[in-house]
Structure formats: C-alpha cells, structure tokens
Amino acid sequence: MRIGEFKNDQAGARYRAVYEQTLADLWPGPRTALDIPTSFGTTRVYRTGPPTGEPIVLLPGSGGNALMWHRYVEVLARHRPVLAVDTIGEPGASVQTTPLADGRDGAAWLNELLAALEVTAGHAVGCSYGGWLALNHQIHRPGRIASLTLVDSAGFADPGRRFYAWMIAGGLAAMAPRQLRPGLARLVGNSAILESGLMGLVRVSMGFRRALPPARVLSDEELRSLRVPALFLLGERSALHDSREVAERLGRLVPSARAEIVPGTGHALPTDRPALVAERILETAGR
C-alpha cells in the first residue's frame, strides 16, 4: 500500500505556493491553522467561528481540501465553530505517513482527529468521498458525532462509466478559456468548474499521487447501524448513483435518516446550490 504524496519536491513546492495564495485570496475572515498529529500522519485543520459550542466538521470530496468550503465558512461560522479539514492523503496541507487500507482505517483516522480536537458531539458534513469517510466513522467509531449531513455521498454505487465520463468532461471543460466555461458547465453538468479561484489549485494538484482506498459500497447491515440524525442531500442528476434508488434504500434501512433529492442538481451539489446546502447543514446541526 502507498501513501498520498507529491511526485517530487518541485511538485510539492509548486503546490504549496499556490495553496497558500489561494487560501489567502479565498478564505473569509480570521482562521486558526492547526496541525494535528495522528497515527496516519499530520492533519491540517482550519478553525473559525465562535470559541465555544459543538463544531461543524467539514470533510471535502476526493481530490479536494478545506478550501472547497470557502463559500460556506462565513455563513456557518455565524452560528457554530467550524473545523474545515484537509483530509489525510488528499492534496492539501496534511502530510500522510501511513497508508489507509479501508473504511475502518478512515474511521480510525477521523476518530483520532476528533479526539485531539476534543470534539464530543460535533456535526459532520461530508461531500462525496468525505461523506463516505463520515459514514464509516459513524459505523465503526460512533460517539463523537451528533449529526451527519452527507452531500451526494459516495458509498452507494461503484463508480461506473457515466461517473468517469463526467469527471473527464469536467476536467477538459475546466481547461477551456474562462468565457467558455459557463456554457460548458451547463453542457457537462459540473458547476465546480466555475470556481475560478480554485482552478489554479486543481491544476497543480496533478503533481500529487493520491493513494486512498476506494469508496466501497456500504452494506445493508452497516447502514442499519446508523443511529444519529442524518440528512442525505442527493443530486437529482448525480453521475455517481441513481439518487432515487439511494433515497429508497435509506428509507428502508435507516430510520434516523432523511433523504432529499435536490431538483436540477448533479454530483457538484455544493456548487450547484450552495445556499440550500448551507441552510440544510445548519438545520441538521440545530443551528
């Protein structure tokens, strides 16, 4: 098993320079950067918002980091402390030293992180792969999270041709001239490519070798073990799974869960409907 790391020192230096500039340009208001040691490596967390209260913990999707939540931080921090995480093994400011073999390891990493941050009843928000990690944590290491908001979470279908075609089309569209991107975003169904402030970071992340375990489909038994209130926000046209099938399965297996299919959205739900997603996060956390 490998760890996530940059291909060489030059790729790492290029990435860090763009990362720091992007952080300075996009992050709203004050923040405290924390580097938390875990048995899987050092995890970077940005803390903002009020000094007390149970925090909202933000976990990004695959290939992303805390900066994907930059549009959310200010509104969420008006109500609760916010902990925005650079997931171990993803391109960002975290440094992985030990491989993660599976979802249990992902749960162990997140539990160590929450324990070090003294989170005892936090509100986890996970997008795509981050949702899968949050679900595995609740399945294998429950006790530190009081609610879940999962934004088109992975873990309900193996990525197929449709998903990989969506990713490739989005990547190609992101390299087009800026004036062409709005039309291409509509064509390929990926509003994330309109995040112009993050595009430079996406480009230099190509120098990073990601080595995290695939988001294995969760079993019925695992889903039945979920006990905390959970909101599953699903993109109506998600390229990752059939959202109606996911909603029906959750309705059968998870009494504590509510599934909401968001019309006119896809897997890029956080950029398709940011105001709605922020509102649902706060509702689930009890503001």
Side-chain angles (χ1 to χ4, degrees):
M1 292 186 291
R2 298 184 294 116
I3 61 170
E5 59 188 349
F6 290 98
K7 295 176 181 177
N8 51 53
D9 291 343
Q10 293 80 6
R14 281 194 298 272
Y15 184 90
R16 285 187 288 273
V18 176
Y19 177 98
E20 291 300 329
Q21 186 60 58
T22 305
L23 177 65
D25 290 343
L26 296 184
W27 194 273
R31 64 187 178 274
T32 301
L34 305 169
D35 289 315
I36 307 297
T38 74
S39 58
F40 297 94
T42 301
T43 303
R44 170 66 59 87
V45 178
Y46 296 103
R47 184 182 182 103
T48 189
T52 59
E54 291 300 344
I56 293 171
V57 182
L58 301 175
L59 300 169
S62 174
N65 52 49
L67 296 184
M68 75 153 282
W69 300 107
H70 71 96
R71 296 184 185 277
Y72 288 80
V73 171
E74 186 174 18
V75 63
L76 298 179
R78 293 176 197 152
H79 301 269
R80 288 186 176 273
V82 173
L83 299 170
V85 179
D86 277 8
T87 301
I88 201 85
E90 300 281 13
S94 296
V95 179
Q96 188 179 13
T97 57
T98 301
L100 273 70
D102 52 24
R104 286 182 180 273
D105 279 353
W109 159 74
L110 184 52
N111 202 58
E112 288 183 34
L113 180 66
L114 295 174
L117 292 166
E118 300 182 344
V119 176
T120 57
H123 304 279
V125 179
C127 173
S128 191
Y129 192 85
W132 183 75
L133 288 172
L135 286 167
N136 273 279
H137 178 262
Q138 192 59 34
I139 291 163
H140 300 296
R141 298 292 185 100
R144 293 188 177 276
I145 292 299
S147 75
L148 295 167
T149 305
L150 294 313
V151 188
D152 216 54
S153 175
F156 295 95
D158 289 320
R161 291 181 183 177
R162 181 182 173 211
F163 181 70
Y164 290 119
W166 178 81
M167 287 190 65
I168 292 169
L172 293 172
M175 293 187 290
R178 184 175 299 183
Q179 64 270 24
L180 299 180
R181 289 179 202 161
L184 291 172
R186 290 190 295 272
L187 180 65
V188 302
N190 190 347
S191 60
I193 69 172
L194 301 179
E195 284 274 20
S196 57
L198 292 176
M199 284 301 103
L201 198 59
V202 171
R203 284 190 285 271
V204 292
S205 71
M206 300 302 174
F208 187 84
R209 287 191 288 247
R210 186 178 183 274
L212 289 173
R216 181 184 56 81
V217 176
L218 299 171
S219 70
D220 287 0
E221 181 182 3
E222 287 172 323
L223 290 173
R224 285 194 186 100
S225 73
L226 297 175
R227 293 290 182 267
V228 299
L231 172 63
F232 290 78
L233 292 173
L234 302 165
E236 180 186 34
R237 299 194 297 264
S238 176
L240 182 59
H241 44 227
D242 184 315
S243 293
R244 286 175 177 77
E245 289 183 1
V246 173
E248 187 275 333
R249 187 177 179 218
L250 290 168
R252 285 189 290 107
L253 300 174
V254 191
S256 64
R258 181 167 68 91
E260 179 179 350
I261 298 174
V262 184
T265 65
H267 189 58
L269 185 49
T271 49
D272 284 343
R273 296 289 298 280
L276 180 143
V277 173
E279 182 64 21
R280 296 296 189 269
I281 291 169
L282 291 170
E283 288 174 358
T284 307
R287 292 196 181 271

